[in-house]
Structures are given as structure tokens and as C-alpha cells.
Amino acid sequence: MAPLVIIVGADKGGVGKTMVTRALLDYLKSAGIEHRAFDTESPEGDLKRFYPAKAKVVDFAGSDGQMQILDTLGEAVTIIDIRAGLLSPTLKTLSEIGFIDPARCTLIVLHVLGNTQTSINEVKVITDKISTARYVAIGNRINDTKFDFPAGALDVPMLNAKACEAVDAASVPFSVFVDSDASPTLRGYVSHWLRRVFQQFESAKLAQTGGT
């Protein structure tokens, strides 16, 4: 079976891409799926702040960073949090060096969409760049705007603002915060939100290492 690679990204910044990646890492851990994570916000990545022992920061724009990830694919699921605004260039590079090819790896593209039309307009741009890769749109409700995501998109609800701030200040994974000695109220908000996000990931069968 070809190694499974999941890239999380968007061409538009400010859509909560790394927040989705953080939830995905918690989901894979809860499902008992062996995984590794790469943060391409070099040199200082936000994902690394929450997962210092799990996430490795690399510069994926250069061949050295690409080799660190792509030359070491194995049985563990590889999660790549793509630097803000660089999903299209990353897909172009992967295509040019032969990694949008089922013989090399099973690739899932998690395209994070904010609730704005500008973000939604990315869908055709991104889907036009992939053929054999699996495309999963993720609508991330980062504010109270009432906006319809494309049909079939996963729908990540908005996390309570105080709870979000508390997790950010603690610099720990969502699942760790839930089991911490923080405010029971805020932990309850995070736990409920995480369960709902896990349900969305489960519906897309992201824990199936075959990528189907």
C-alpha cells in the first residue's frame, strides 16, 4: 500500500488552517493511527508550538525540505501543514516531481475554506491542479458570518472565543487542554467542539490509511 500523505492548506490566509491541522492530529491520535507532522511555516511554525515533540519545522519551498518529508515516507501517516497562501504552488511542485501519483503515495488534499466568497472561489483553482489525489474541502467557521460552504464540504463549527483563547495561551493540543486543570466550562466547550470536528473527520474516513 502506498504511503498516505495528508496536506492541509489554502491559498487564502486567515482561514484557520493550522487549527484544523491541530484537530486532525488529535483525531488521528484518538483513532490510534501512527502519524508524523510537518510544519512548513519555517523558521517559526505555529503547529510546532502546540506539538513540540511531534511537529518538525521544514522549509517546503526548497528541495532540502521536500526531501526531509518525501524521501522518508513510510507506514506512518504524514501530515503536512502548508504555509499560509501556498497551497497552489505546493501542489504544482508535487505534480512536477511526481508525487501526485498513486504509485508514489496516496495523497489527500484538505483544502481549508473560510466563510468568505474569496475563499470559496479557490475551490476550482485547487481542484484543477489535482487529478488522482483525493480532494476534501473543509469549511471552517472562523466567525459568526452565515455562509454556505460548497456541497459536500466538511463543516467545522466555530469554537467559543474564550475557550479558543485559553487553548492558545496554554500552547497545548485541544485534547490535552480537555484533560487539564483549566476552567471546567472552557474545557467543556473544547470537548464538545472537538467531538463535533471528529465526527466531520470520521464522515470523510480520514482515519482510513487507504485514503478512500
Side-chain angles (χ1 to χ4, degrees), residues 104-155:
R104 302 290 291 275
C105 68
T106 298
L107 180 63
I108 301 178
V109 177
L110 297 190
H111 183 196
V112 183
L113 306 171
N115 39 351
T116 67
Q117 190 59 51
T118 300
S119 185
I120 301 301
N121 289 343
E122 288 182 17
V123 172
K124 186 176 188 306
V125 174
I126 298 303
T127 54
D128 282 349
K129 294 181 183 298
I130 57 178
S131 53
T132 57
R134 181 180 170 208
Y135 175 84
V136 178
I138 298 184
N140 191 23
R141 297 195 180 277
I142 56 178
N143 56 47
D144 288 322
T145 302
K146 304 302 180 185
F147 205 91
D148 291 329
F149 291 116
L154 303 189
D155 197 333

Side-chain angles (χ1 to χ4, degrees), residues 18-195:
T18 297
M19 187 176 187
V20 170
T21 305
R22 289 159 51 200
L24 177 62
L25 294 181
D26 280 356
Y27 172 66
L28 293 175
K29 181 180 179 181
S30 74
I33 301 295
E34 184 182 0
H35 59 283
R36 59 192 194 136
F38 292 92
D39 185 340
T40 64
E41 292 278 356
S42 177
E44 298 291 337
D46 202 38
L47 186 64
K48 178 74 172 177
R49 178 163 66 91
F50 294 95
Y51 296 87
K54 171 68 69 174
K56 182 175 182 179
V57 179
V58 299
D59 180 3
F60 199 68
S63 57
D64 287 345
Q66 293 159 12
M67 288 189 292
Q68 287 183 59
I69 301 175
L70 301 176
D71 289 5
T72 59
L73 298 179
E75 292 184 1
V77 177
T78 296
I79 309 299
I80 310 174
D81 185 357
I82 301 299
R83 190 181 185 96
L86 294 182
L87 182 56
S88 285
T90 297
L91 293 174
K92 181 175 183 292
T93 296
L94 289 172
S95 178
E96 289 173 348
I97 62 179
F99 276 87
I100 302 185
D101 179 349
R104 302 290 291 275
C105 68
T106 298
L107 180 63
I108 301 178
V109 177
L110 297 190
H111 183 196
V112 183
L113 306 171
N115 39 351
T116 67
Q117 190 59 51
T118 300
S119 185
I120 301 301
N121 289 343
E122 288 182 17
V123 172
K124 186 176 188 306
V125 174
I126 298 303
T127 54
D128 282 349
K129 294 181 183 298
I130 57 178
S131 53
T132 57
R134 181 180 170 208
Y135 175 84
V136 178
I138 298 184
N140 191 23
R141 297 195 180 277
I142 56 178
N143 56 47
D144 288 322
T145 302
K146 304 302 180 185
F147 205 91
D148 291 329
F149 291 116
L154 303 189
D155 197 333
V156 172
M158 186 176 68
L159 176 59
N160 172 272
K162 288 288 187 182
C164 189
E165 290 172 3
V167 178
D168 189 65
S171 296
V172 296
F174 294 112
S175 57
V176 172
F177 183 85
V178 168
D179 293 330
S180 73
D181 59 358
S183 158
T185 299
L186 299 183
R187 287 190 285 119
Y189 272 114
V190 175
S191 178
H192 177 67
W193 176 83
L194 205 56
R195 285 196 302 271

